Structure formats: C-alpha cells, structure tokens
Amino acid sequence: MKMYAICDCDNCYCSCERVFRPDLAGKPVVVLSNNDGCVIARSREAKAAGIPMGLPYYQLAERFPSLDVAVFSSNYELYGDITRRVMSIIRSECTEFYRYSIDEAFCVLEDMDGEALKAWGERLSRKILKWVGMPVSIGIASTKTLAKCADYFAKYYPGYNHCCVIDTEAKREKALKMFPVKEVWGIGRRMRRQLEDMNISTAWDLLQKPQFVVRRQFHLPGERTWLELKGVDCVPLDEMHGKKSICTSRSFPGTVKDFDTLKTHVANDAAKCSEKLRKQGSVCNNVMVFIDTNRFRDDLPQYANSTDLTLLTPVNSTQEVVGAAVQCLRSIYREGYQYKRAGVIVTGIQDASAIQTDFMDFDALRHEKMQQITTATDGINLSNGSETVFLGCQQYRQRDERGKSIGFRDAIKHQFRSKSYSLRRKEFLEVR
DNA sequence: TCTGGGGTCCTAGGACCC
DNA sequence: TCTGGGGTCCTAGGACCC
C-alpha cells in the first residue's frame, strides 16, 4: 500500500539558531522578520509563554517584561543551509521525495507495514537530529492530509517519539475525533468561521456532513480536503521543477518619499528575482512591480499601485530585469506619499534552454552581451561573496536633508543577526 | 519610532466570439 | 416593444499554505 510521510522541522528557524547555540536549549527563542519588525518564529517555550505569532518586536518587552527570551534577526542564509542538509538526508531515505517548503517534505513509502513505517520514521528523525541538530517530526498516513494530521500528534505528544502513523481505520477514526477541525491542512480562517457556525469542531464532525453539502459550501478545495480525510488520495504531489512566479519584496526601515531611493529598492528586488531565475535555470517574459504606503498609518494618505511589462524576448539578466522593473516603477510612482513597501514579481517563466532567439531581432546581439556580463558577474559573486559586483542603481545612498548623496548605507535592519556559521569562512565557529 | 515574505490554486465576472 | 444563448479566454481577487 502507498503511504505518505510528511517530515517537518520543529519550529524551524528557532531550531536553526539553536544548532550553534546549545546553551539556548529549553529557553524561549524568537526570530524576527526583516528590519526586526515582528515575531515570525517561536520556540516551544516561547509559544508556551504566550508570545503570539506576528507580535511587533517593540511590544515584546512591554508585554513580556520578565521573560528571558533570546531574540534573533532572521538569517535566511543560515536557515537555507541547515534545511538543505536536512532535506538531503530525507531524500536519501526514500524513493519519491517532494520538498513542500523550506522546512517540510513529503515522501512516498511503499510496501511497508505499520511497524516498519513507525521504525522508519523514528530512525530518520533520530538521524537528522544527530547529523544536523534539527528536531524533526514525522506523520505517516495514506493521504497527505491525514499525514499532516498524524504529524500534529507526533509534534505535540512526546510519547510518539517524533513519529505517528495512521494506518488502520480504527486509528483514523480515533485521531480525527481528537483533531480540531481548524488544524486540518487546507482549512483556513474563512472556512474555520463557517465551520464554527455549523457547530463543527473536530475533523470527524466534518466527515459526518454529506459530500454534496461540503462541495456546495466549500467548493473544490473543501471537497478535496473532505475526501482526503476519508482516506481518498486526491491532492497531487506537484512535481514541478521550477516555480511559476518568483517574487521579491521588502518593507523599508522607515519610509521612502523620493523616487531615487524607491528605485534603489526596486532595482535590488528585481536583481534578486533575476538571480533566482538563473538559479533555477529559467527566464521570464513578464515583470511586475508594486508599491505600497504604510497601511497601519491611517493618518497618512494611502496609495498602492502595480503595473507590469511583458517582454518580447524572455530574459534573466540582471540588467534587463532591473531595466523593466524601473520602467514599471516610473509609471506608477506618485510624489507626495510615504512609501513603506515595494516588490517585484516575475512570471511567464520558461526553461532558459528552450528559448529561441529570433535572428531578425535587433536585440539579439544585446541579449547575448547581457548573458556574457551576467555569467561573468555571477562567477565573481560566487567566488567572492554574493554582493561583490552589482549595478550602480542597486547601491543605497545615504543622503543629507537636501537629498544630496553623502555615502552608502545598509538596506535593512538586522540588529540581532546570528553568524552564518556554516557558510562563511570568517563566521565559522571557533573552538578553543 | 517600530506591524513579514513567498508561493499556488480556484472562482467569479467581464470581454469577446459566433 | 423587442433586445438569445453558449462557449472560451483572461484577469483580479480571495483563500489557502509555509
């Protein structure tokens, strides 16, 4: 019988920070968003202390004055590296593997009985903890939704030893009767409210509703969830090799009024998008830019807009993606607003090797040159650190009150950033 | 003063066609 | 006073995930 395992890192970002800080074991740890804005990850102890997800950092000390909590700025470079190691171990332990997010992966397991499944999961979890230092929980069942449900039990009940298997009807019924419906994979805020109104509190309650009622009220996605809970495997394992859209966006520290600074942010977002495109071997033919004022400041005039540009020839060079993005920005920028956020989304993504260059295209030669420049700069950045070479318009300038450029500065705030222990030679851990 | 970022999929409704 | 119907395609917005 075909079974699915979901392998999920426990409190991923906090656990990554703890890998190199064993002194933080058992202590509350939180990780902040970019610019140290708000809490985006909490250790078990931080959750138990009542720190909510999304809490603005400035409220942390106010609301939890006596709590000794370790605070980190997000260090995605580190999290990317640690989880890459976790994923490679998981991949080596199964035949079919699908990475679902930065900290989760699905595996397909065939021809294993309940005991073998349980042993497989416990062994894998132990191995990852020992080799990488990351605690991982594993849920196993005949559908992905039920596996996620098993994972919930594996995470919260230590008796399961990090692995819970739902492999019989009796176990399925018992589990779903204990499982809060709002925790079901695929049930979000809106559906939860409707379910409350219907007096449905467990996953089992939901299954008592006839299929057509679920379909009528919750449409296709809801019906799929209902079927999966019944044990019908119907959420496909996306075997997509590349992404369909790539987005890079950021809130700014403070606000931005002038076009030039906004342009610098957008240029950096666009450059990041082109880098991600090249990394997955893709090109895009559409570039979209959006800008936004601070929605929390209702005392200030609000403005949000976006626009996109479709390119005749698909591209992935820094210069071309940045050029298109800046052109979009020009058409939506309005003076007189305090901007808080901007971003770039590229779509129309195709395999880079599949693009045809039209020999009548006068741009063909230019594209080729761009490719050569990009290959050269990527090479330099790979061997010398990621921001060694970049476009002039990506440089953040420090300006005086009259707008005159007086130097350069950092793009974002990250006051509590840990070291990239496993990636940068200068930041390796020293053992004395 | 300070409030995240990156994805996918589905649906409804408009535009357009015959 | 009358003013179809059926189909496709595209897009914006919503809902969900982590």
Side-chain angles (χ1 to χ4, degrees), chain A residues 137-372:
Chain A
S137 300
I138 298 173
I140 304 176
S142 60
T143 70
K144 295 168 209 69
T145 306
L146 287 171
K148 291 284 279 189
C149 174
D151 182 47
Y152 173 91
F153 290 107
K155 237 182 235 316
Y156 294 102
Y157 296 94
Y160 283 112
N161 217 358
H162 304 287
C163 175
C164 172
V165 181
I166 299 178
D167 62 331
T168 63
E169 271 306 290
K171 285 187 194 167
R172 185 177 71 89
E173 181 173 338
K174 188 180 166 200
L176 296 187
K177 281 182 173 168
M178 289 174 64
F179 197 61
V181 74
K182 63 178 165 59
E183 301 293 336
V184 172
W185 192 47
I187 293 180
R189 246 201 349 258
R190 195 187 141 94
M191 256 181 94
R192 190 178 74 209
R193 277 200 301 268
Q194 294 184 55
L195 290 163
E196 269 167 23
D197 292 343
M198 294 164 77
N199 250 332
I200 291 174
S201 61
T202 67
W204 188 255
D205 293 341
L206 176 62
L207 289 187
Q208 306 319 303
K209 293 286 169 195
Q211 185 169 357
F212 80 92
V213 171
V214 173
R215 170 69 197 233
R216 197 178 53 206
Q217 189 154 355
F218 304 112
H219 311 285
L220 198 62
E223 187 184 29
R224 246 184 232 160
T225 298
W226 185 90
L227 283 166
E228 284 254 321
L229 289 172
K230 285 254 176 203
V232 182
D233 179 18
C234 57
V235 172
L237 250 191
D238 271 331
E239 287 175 61
M240 282 181 316
H241 294 298
K243 291 172 184 156
K244 294 177 175 171
S245 73
I246 288 174
C247 172
T248 303
S249 73
R250 265 209 314 253
S251 297
F252 319 136
T255 51
V256 172
K257 286 187 216 161
D258 66 292
F259 179 79
D260 281 343
T261 307
L262 196 57
K263 188 179 91 175
T264 306
H265 283 289
V266 168
N268 274 285
D269 290 342
K272 193 82 194 166
C273 283
S274 72
E275 204 182 302
K276 292 177 188 171
L277 279 170
R278 295 195 295 274
K279 206 166 175 183
Q280 69 167 44
S282 302
V283 288
C284 73
N285 70 10
N286 189 279
V287 177
M288 186 181 105
V289 173
F290 63 87
I291 51 177
D292 223 332
T293 48
N294 189 343
R295 65 181 199 281
F296 293 101
R297 294 288 301 270
D298 36 22
D299 56 320
L300 293 175
Q302 298 285 317
Y303 174 68
N305 204 353
S306 68
T307 191
D308 68 300
L309 193 65
T310 297
L311 309 160
L312 292 174
T313 315
V315 301
N316 69 9
S317 73
T318 310
Q319 292 94 322
E320 288 165 300
V321 178
V322 169
V326 170
Q327 205 178 319
C328 289
L329 178 66
R330 269 185 220 288
S331 74
I332 52 175
Y333 174 79
R334 299 285 176 273
E335 249 179 77
Y337 293 99
Q338 298 193 26
Y339 295 96
K340 185 63 187 168
R341 203 164 87 97
V344 175
I345 302 173
V346 295
T347 54
I349 293 174
Q350 318 159 37
D351 203 32
S353 59
I355 59 161
Q356 317 168 348
T357 38
D358 184 345
F359 68 90
M360 292 300 286
D361 183 355
F362 292 116
D363 276 348
L365 197 63
R366 199 171 58 88
H367 281 300
E368 207 181 304
K369 278 190 177 168
M370 295 291 182
Q371 286 307 327
Q372 287 168 0

